[in-house]
Amino acid sequence: MYKYVIKRLLWMILIMLGVTFVIFTITYFIPGDPAKAMLGQTATDAEVEALRASMGLNKSYMIQLLDYFGHVIRLDFGTSWAYNVSVSGELMKRLPVTILVGGLAMLIQVVIGIPLGVFAAVNQSKWQDNLSMAISMVLVSVPDFWIALMMIVLFSVKLGWLPPMGTSNWKCFIMPIIAAGIGGIASNARQTRSSMLEVFRADFVVTARAKGQKEKNVIWKHMFPNALMPIITMVVGGLGRIVGGTAVIETIFTIPGCGLYLLNGINSRDYPVIRGATIILALFSALAILLMDIIYAYVDPRIKAQYISGK
């Protein structure tokens, strides 16, 4: 198994180099001059050229690309053009905040969504199932930014219970976490229900019931473990969206996370910020896929046997 993990880690290095190449190339060939955009229309050609030289934009594409590769290998994403601070340092300061909001939102999705899906599946076609799926349909249809705005109006403006923005205390994180997690609750519930129904009348479930096992044991010891694979795909796959997925929520609640940092970089054409944040997002996605495969191996012995045999 460890050989497989090492092999995947080596592939991750190639993937990250590929992502670096793609995001650098896209930002390089985007129409417009960042130096002119930063100085404004009143800047002279001499001032624009001087700024381009200081930013390294007067070099050829290949030289800039190789230079950027050299910095990325040293985990240096350059200096922000807009803020004049290290992008790597800023990302490291903002990353814990983004992981806190996204991670707790995902925890809410799992703790509420999966049991709700199981509850709906074991009560298939009953009012409990219809009610659960109706709630899920509403939650998955409502945009998270609308939920966030309505929560601010209710809990901050009307009731005054929670602060509307910032990170000054733990209360500031309550609304962002709930707003970021509500949509995922519905998705997890629907996926869990679908997976459970696929094994609901499987032979091993019928046999377990025929042996007189309690329905609770049949559900959680026989049905649920065999329905886990698609659920794992949805839950663990969502880890890669933690960094970028909370960008809108961070913007609404003015949370200094990586998502807000990326959006600010896009608005100001701050290419070092865009490149660095995108690479971090890609790294999270690659790690999430690796973690997903490892969990697959422990859940399903057949997959672990394939890894061990090297197939």
Side-chain angles (χ1 to χ4, degrees):
M1 184 69 183
Y2 71 92
K3 292 182 180 179
Y4 171 78
V5 174
I6 293 174
K7 181 179 177 182
R8 288 296 303 271
L9 289 174
L10 293 176
W11 272 108
M12 277 180 55
I13 296 175
L14 295 177
I15 292 172
M16 297 312 301
L17 292 176
V19 170
T20 302
F21 168 76
V22 171
I23 188 60
F24 181 89
T25 302
I26 290 174
T27 53
Y28 180 86
F29 288 105
I30 288 177
D33 189 343
K36 197 165 188 178
M38 292 176 65
L39 291 175
Q41 298 297 325
T42 59
T44 64
D45 292 341
E47 292 173 336
V48 173
E49 287 302 319
L51 182 58
R52 283 177 57 83
S54 66
M55 296 163 64
L57 297 177
N58 59 340
K59 300 176 183 178
S60 67
Y61 163 75
M62 189 57 63
I63 292 177
Q64 289 189 48
L65 176 62
L66 293 176
D67 183 61
Y68 190 69
F69 267 123
H71 283 83
V72 170
I73 291 174
R74 300 193 301 269
L75 300 179
D76 178 13
F77 299 120
T79 302
S80 169
W81 296 342
Y83 304 101
N84 197 29
V85 295
S86 170
V87 174
S88 302
E90 193 68 19
L91 284 171
M92 289 304 102
K93 286 194 299 185
R94 292 170 176 265
L95 194 57
V97 178
T98 297
I99 292 176
L100 175 65
V101 175
L104 290 179
M106 180 170 291
L107 181 62
I108 290 176
Q109 296 170 9
V110 172
V111 171
I112 300 178
I114 292 179
L116 183 63
V118 173
F119 175 75
V122 298
N123 292 283
Q124 182 185 11
S125 301
K126 298 179 181 178
W127 68 267
Q128 296 96 326
D129 180 25
N130 295 331
L131 178 61
S132 300
M133 289 302 98
I135 294 174
S136 298
M137 183 64 70
V138 171
L139 294 180
V140 81
S141 302
V142 178
D144 54 0
F145 70 85
W146 185 84
I147 295 175
L149 293 174
M150 292 302 101
M151 291 179 69
I152 291 175
V153 171
L154 177 60
F155 296 110
S156 297
V157 178
K158 298 292 185 182
L159 300 176
W161 290 353
L162 299 171
M165 61 183 66
T167 57
S168 57
N169 56 63
W170 63 271
K171 291 182 179 180
C172 297
F173 292 96
I174 294 177
M175 289 195 294
I177 290 171
I178 294 175
I182 281 182
I185 291 174
S187 300
N188 284 337
R190 294 175 66 83
Q191 180 62 66
T192 302
R193 177 184 181 274
S194 177
S195 300
M196 289 288 288
L197 291 178
E198 288 181 5
V199 300
F200 195 79
R201 292 179 179 83
D203 292 341
F204 60 87
V205 175
V206 175
T207 302
R209 287 198 177 104
K211 288 182 177 180
Q213 292 195 22
K214 295 181 179 178
E215 188 64 18
K216 182 166 125 181
N217 292 335
V218 172
I219 293 171
W220 294 107
K221 291 185 178 180
H222 296 278
M223 294 172 58
F224 186 69
N226 286 278
L228 265 179
M229 301 298 278
I231 300 172
I232 292 173
T233 302
M234 171 166 284
V235 173
V236 182
L239 289 174
R241 296 188 293 271
I242 284 180
V243 176
T246 57
V248 175
I249 298 299
E250 289 177 1
T251 302
I252 293 174
F253 292 100
T254 321
I255 296 175
C258 293
L260 179 60
Y261 192 47
L262 175 59
L263 285 181
N264 290 338
I266 293 173
N267 292 332
S268 59
R269 295 177 66 97
D270 196 342
Y271 292 168
V273 171
I274 298 172
R275 293 164 183 165
T278 303
I279 291 171
I280 292 295
L281 174 60
L283 177 61
F284 264 74
S285 299
L287 288 173
I289 294 173
L290 174 61
L291 178 62
M292 188 189 309
D293 289 342
I294 294 174
I295 294 176
Y296 280 166
Y298 283 99
V299 171
D300 193 335
R302 295 170 297 180
I303 298 178
K304 185 175 184 180
Q306 290 180 358
Y307 291 161
I308 294 175
S309 64
K311 295 181 181 180

